[in-house]
Amino acid sequence: MQESRTERGAFTLIELLVVIAIIALLIGILLPALGAARDAGRQAVGSSNLRQFGVGFFAYSVDNDGYYCSGAWWNRTTRSHGAIDESGWVADQVNGGYTVPGNLLSPGSPARFSQQLIMTELNSSGSWRTFTEAERDDLITRGFNTNYTQSWYMAHTEVRNRTSAAADLYNPRDTIGPLADRFLANVQTTMVPLLGDPHTDATSASELISYRGDPYPTAKLMTDGPRAGAFGGPNGFEWRWQDFSDFGPAYGPPRGIFNARGHSKSVGQLLFADGHADSFRDADNNGTFAPETNAGGQTVVPVNYPDFGNRVFFGTLTNGRP
């Protein structure tokens, strides 16, 4: 007896399950690849953003006697040369028409704002001026925002008296000043970082910004500057090696492995003084680019940055000492 058309076109339950299993397997294979491709695209955008900043800093330096910026973007009289709408690298770029930092955010970073824009930080004691939340939001709309972290080098170059333990590392009074071409004569500009993806702590309530009613993690404003050690200076004290722990990862294919800072990013990018951008991997998955420590948690001397290899300078700029 001949089969009916309906009987010939039907699928058995086993056949349906096999098809579903194959589709699920294909999705499982394709999703990581698609995620990796999307992340690679974001990383390319981030690298392009950093290079655009490099062009902006060089253009600023041409107009300002070789200086890359006017200092830290910090709304405090003992930390910068003026209010954040007038002074600091972000204001330099916006007001000079070089770039708009708020339009060039790191696309992979968990942070979308600078910690400087948290209202309690913005209007902390000794502020150049007090901003209302509406004024702060207007600044953000105009591009006065960033989720990149400035290097201490770029803002301060060097401690004025390297053997003074009382030096205030963030007060322009105690530092040489913003980075300029003439301070780079003894180092390779390919190794001196200006900006980088931030160490972002998505789990810290004190580092969240409230913007239009919603909380967001923020990017570190600037790296912590030089640290001291027994390097043979007078009295055995000298500010020498840079603490770059506030640089951190912003990219990386989804790993499902979250670090202590509440995200699973694994790759970060830095902009260097010659204008190129480079990528670095957070090999120990601690969410930051920190120096090597011993079993007691103390920094190992001589200092070593495992995540950077030998591609980043972290010594004293004016004499090139590591």
Side-chain angles (χ1 to χ4, degrees), residues 67 105 146-147 156 165 209 222 255 293:
Y67 285 95
L105 298 180
T146 184
N147 63 351
H156 296 287
I209 185 175
M222 185 171 59
R255 297 179 300 173
T293 57

Side-chain angles (χ1 to χ4, degrees), residues 239-262:
W239 297 108
R240 286 285 298 277
W241 62 275
Q242 291 285 315
D243 184 349
F244 288 143
S245 300
D246 283 338
F247 286 142
Y251 306 94
R255 297 179 300 173
I257 304 173
F258 281 72
N259 56 49
R261 290 168 175 81

Side-chain angles (χ1 to χ4, degrees), residues 94-117:
V94 175
N95 294 334
Y98 303 108
T99 65
V100 181
N103 294 342
L104 295 173
L105 298 180
S106 172
S109 174
R112 307 314 294 162
F113 300 91
S114 169
Q115 65 179 176
Q116 175 57 208
L117 296 172

Side-chain angles (χ1 to χ4, degrees), residues 34 54 65 118 122 130 133 147 170 172 176 183 191 245 254 259 293:
L34 292 173
D65 298 321
I118 300 172
L122 182 60
T130 300
E133 189 166 340
N147 63 351
Y170 310 104
I176 290 178
F183 300 134
M191 297 177 67
S245 300
N259 56 49
T293 57

Side-chain angles (χ1 to χ4, degrees), residues 5-25:
R5 184 182 301 271
T6 302
E7 289 174 332
R8 288 199 311 272
F11 288 100
T12 66
L13 178 59
I14 292 176
E15 289 172 331
L16 287 173
L17 290 175
V18 169
V19 170
I20 292 171
I22 292 172
I23 292 173
L25 179 62

